[in-house]
Amino acid sequence: MHMTYTQTSLPKSQIQFTVTVPADTIRSHYQQSVKDAVANFAMDGFRTGHVPEAMVIQKIGTLRLWTDALEHALSEIYIQIISETKVNAIGKPEIAITKIADQSDAELTITTAVLPTITLPDYKKVAKSSYSEKIDNEISAAELDAKILEIRRLRHQSESVKPDTDTESPTDATETPESELPELTDEYASGFGAGISSVIELRDKLRHTMHHDKIHKNEDYLRAKLMTELVKATPVELPEVIVQFEIDKMISQFEHDMTMSGVTLEQYLEYANKTIADMRAELVEPATERALTQMILDHIAEAESIKPDTVAVQSEMDKMNAHYANTPDYNQATAQSYVEQILGNQAVFSWLESAAGYTAHDHDAMSTK
């Protein structure tokens, strides 16, 4: 197909093509335009689709048919331009006819979002800087004492519920003075779970659990800090279609979580006194950061040939397939893409941690202690 066009870059990773479409190109689709018009034309005295062609053309007008012929050609025009320019177009393009006259060349603009070009920063350097922060994973005596006091209060509250009722003691567990709690003896400590027969064992078990949780929390903190720094060091404007797609995913997940709690999205919005438009507006910033974060991780994975462990992927898929076997809308291909992305991201983080000289903890080994 012969045509001419120019290409202009727009903000937010968009490209606009200004296209001149020759009359001959439009004319090649004209007869199909006429055929479609005849097939759908209704007129008194005739059955739909049986009005003579000349009468249909007279009623509709040749300019309308010429415009329809151009619209017939738009798909081919767009595909040819994208093929020739090799731009990574995403989403649905916006097409506007800016000039048209019967039996003449036409002009139009095509605006489309494209995958943004990302120039990765020195991610090894950023990782080293992020992981240079000294993190204390130890549990102090004060932290342990506070936790023991907390669980003693919770147990006291639970044991204060009157028989055959759901009414609890009026005293808030968090406010119960320690002096009113049962004495922390070995016998009392044994009531906190299997494998605990003394205060010493309670403290040891609790310290290990708290230590494990603190390591997890601090590792999450360091990874979040790393991604914040990588996002700051990767200036790029994401196209609106990517941001809106991420917002769609976030709302879908939120709605699922609400449903599991017995609350619909509509009920939540009514309770929060906001509209879905308000919610989408609030999610623009976090959705933009999430989308850019995933793109950065994908680019690092590609640059360093990092892939998720196939055995781990299959193990997770076996669990998901078994869990959702009887769920009608479960899509195995979608689930696998999700698992591969999650485990792929973890593999990238592990690689960055190793590049930064950070020693990650073996949580599986810790959990057996």
Side-chain angles (χ1 to χ4, degrees):
M1 181 185 298
H2 176 67
M3 62 182 156
T4 59
Y5 55 86
T6 58
Q7 177 178 329
T8 305
S9 295
L10 301 179
K12 292 190 175 181
S13 293
Q14 295 185 98
I15 289 179
Q16 186 175 84
F17 299 100
T18 301
V19 189
T20 298
V21 185
D24 287 346
T25 297
I26 305 173
R27 194 170 292 112
S28 66
H29 291 268
Y30 185 79
Q31 195 53 46
Q32 182 62 49
S33 178
V34 173
K35 183 178 179 180
D36 291 345
V38 170
N40 296 287
F41 199 80
M43 185 175 177
D44 291 343
F46 296 92
R47 286 181 295 152
T48 299
H50 289 76
V51 180
E53 181 179 296
M55 295 181 67
V56 173
I57 294 175
Q58 182 181 17
K59 288 288 185 179
I60 293 179
T62 53
L63 179 58
R64 164 72 182 280
L65 292 168
W66 189 253
T67 303
D68 289 345
L70 173 59
E71 291 177 351
H72 276 296
L74 289 180
S75 178
E76 294 179 25
I77 291 170
Y78 179 65
I79 291 173
Q80 180 175 328
I81 291 175
I82 295 303
S83 176
E84 291 177 355
T85 58
K86 301 189 185 306
V87 299
N88 292 317
I90 54 176
K92 185 178 180 180
E94 294 181 6
I95 302 177
I97 298 173
T98 56
K99 179 182 178 182
I100 190 166
D102 190 19
Q103 303 303 313
S104 299
D105 296 350
E107 293 181 2
L108 53 91
T109 60
I110 301 176
T111 306
T112 183
V114 296
L115 279 175
T117 300
I118 289 183
T119 302
L120 290 173
D122 186 343
Y123 42 86
K124 293 181 184 179
K125 182 178 179 181
V126 175
K128 287 180 180 179
S129 173
S130 296
Y131 283 100
S132 65
E133 180 178 348
K134 301 301 181 183
I135 297 294
D136 181 13
N137 289 320
E138 296 305 314
I139 304 300
S140 68
E143 289 176 304
L144 184 58
D145 289 341
K147 191 66 176 180
I148 289 177
L149 179 58
E150 177 187 338
I151 64 174
R152 288 172 65 194
R153 282 172 168 162
L154 289 172
R155 179 175 169 181
H156 177 68
Q157 182 186 43
S158 175
E159 293 174 347
S160 297
V161 176
K162 296 179 181 179
D164 303 322
T165 73
D166 293 327
T167 305
E168 296 184 358
S169 160
T171 304
D172 188 337
T174 60
E175 298 177 355
T176 305
E178 185 175 6
S179 59
E180 296 182 14
L181 298 176
E183 184 181 357
L184 184 58
T185 63
D186 287 345
E187 181 181 359
Y188 184 76
S190 65
F192 281 103
I196 300 175
S197 60
S198 66
V199 174
I200 292 177
E201 288 181 350
L202 172 63
R203 292 181 69 87
D204 286 345
K205 191 177 182 75
L206 192 57
R207 184 190 298 276
H208 171 72
T209 300
M210 292 174 67
H211 180 56
H212 188 272
D213 292 344
K214 196 170 187 179
I215 288 172
H216 265 300
K217 180 179 178 180
N218 285 335
E219 287 183 345
D220 289 344
Y221 160 75
L222 288 172
R223 288 186 174 186
K225 178 184 176 183
L226 169 60
M227 286 315 308
T228 297
E229 294 304 314
L230 285 173
V231 167
K232 286 181 181 178
T234 311
V236 63
E237 281 191 300
L238 294 184
E240 191 67 20
V241 64
I242 289 181
V243 176
Q244 293 303 318
F245 178 69
E246 193 65 38
I247 290 175
D248 289 341
K249 290 197 298 182
M250 294 173 75
I251 290 179
S252 178
Q253 183 61 53
F254 181 81
E255 184 173 14
H256 175 268
D257 294 343
M258 286 290 98
T259 301
M260 295 298 287
S261 302
V263 180
T264 67
L265 179 61
E266 291 73 18
Q267 288 172 328
Y268 163 77
L269 291 172
E270 182 178 359
Y271 175 79
N273 193 28
K274 64 177 65 174
T275 66
I276 191 67
D278 295 331
M279 188 176 185
R280 296 188 72 89
E282 292 170 357
L283 290 174
V284 168
E285 186 173 343
T288 301
E289 185 168 342
R290 272 182 44 157
L292 182 52
T293 293
Q294 188 58 56
M295 293 179 72
I296 291 171
L297 292 173
D298 289 344
H299 277 64
I300 294 175
E302 182 178 359
E304 302 296 340
S305 299
I306 302 170
K307 297 182 182 299
D309 181 76
T310 55
V311 175
V313 171
Q314 188 57 56
S315 176
E316 289 301 317
M317 283 305 301
D318 289 342
K319 294 175 186 176
M320 293 190 73
N321 291 338
H323 184 76
Y324 294 104
N326 299 318
T327 304
D329 59 350
Y330 174 63
N331 186 298
Q332 187 169 328
T334 301
Q336 176 137 351
S337 295
Y338 172 76
V339 169
E340 288 176 347
Q341 183 182 81
I342 295 300
L343 295 185
N345 289 348
Q346 291 178 4
V348 173
F349 276 119
S350 294
W351 186 92
L352 288 168
E353 288 165 352
S354 178
Y358 176 81
T359 303
H361 293 79
D362 186 342
H363 297 289
D364 291 334
M366 290 183 64
S367 64
T368 62
K369 293 182 180 179

